[in-house]
Amino acid sequence: MTCSIEDDAMSYLMSYDYPGNIRELRLIVNSALNLTEGRCISAAVLPETVRRAKKISAVDKDSASEPFTSLELMEKNHILKVYRQTGRNKSKTAEILGVNRKTLQRKLKSYGVE
């Protein structure tokens, strides 16, 4: 069974800061999938905290314009965003994301980031 994420829901997911790191993103998406029983995820099934998040900036709209984005791509975008925000500090990025530093290094390498 395949499902999709509506554009408005994707906009909210892309604009939310995920203070609980990537695990929070996974929890939100899994919860939405359970609520929709595998059908299309709309903004209505997202938590209020995510829906209250500000709309994404014009710069980020290009990456969110695709109707379907994989969880893997969302994870990559989030990791790279945090990595840039920490001034490319791998230790701080790993701490914020709640992952082991070696795991972060492996992911960054797979993204072509050294």
Side-chain angles (χ1 to χ4, degrees), residues 2-47:
T2 60
C3 68
S4 62
I5 301 176
E6 292 179 358
D7 289 341
D8 60 339
M10 182 60 73
S11 175
Y12 285 117
L13 290 170
M14 295 294 291
S15 65
Y16 188 61
D17 284 335
Y18 300 97
N21 63 46
I22 198 70
R23 285 179 254 186
E24 184 174 7
L25 170 61
R26 285 185 182 131
L27 179 67
I28 289 168
V29 171
N30 284 333
S31 175
L33 285 171
N34 287 334
L35 289 170
T36 62
E37 297 177 351
R39 294 186 308 266
C40 190
I41 296 173
S42 68
V45 298
L46 297 176

Side-chain angles (χ1 to χ4, degrees), residues 39-99:
R39 294 186 308 266
C40 190
I41 296 173
S42 68
V45 298
L46 297 176
E48 182 65 27
T49 54
V50 174
R51 287 183 288 164
R52 277 191 271 144
K54 62 184 175 180
K55 291 287 185 183
I56 58 175
S57 68
V59 174
D60 292 334
K61 281 188 179 179
D62 290 337
S63 63
S65 62
E66 297 177 27
F68 305 105
T69 301
S70 69
L71 186 55
E72 182 178 331
L73 180 58
M74 289 174 67
E75 178 184 63
K76 175 184 175 182
N77 289 338
H78 184 65
I79 289 170
L80 293 175
K81 177 182 172 184
V82 173
Y83 185 58
R84 284 189 302 272
Q85 289 176 342
T86 62
R88 303 189 187 290
N89 182 319
K90 291 178 184 171
S91 295
K92 185 67 176 171
T93 301
E95 180 184 332
I96 291 169
L97 294 173
V99 298

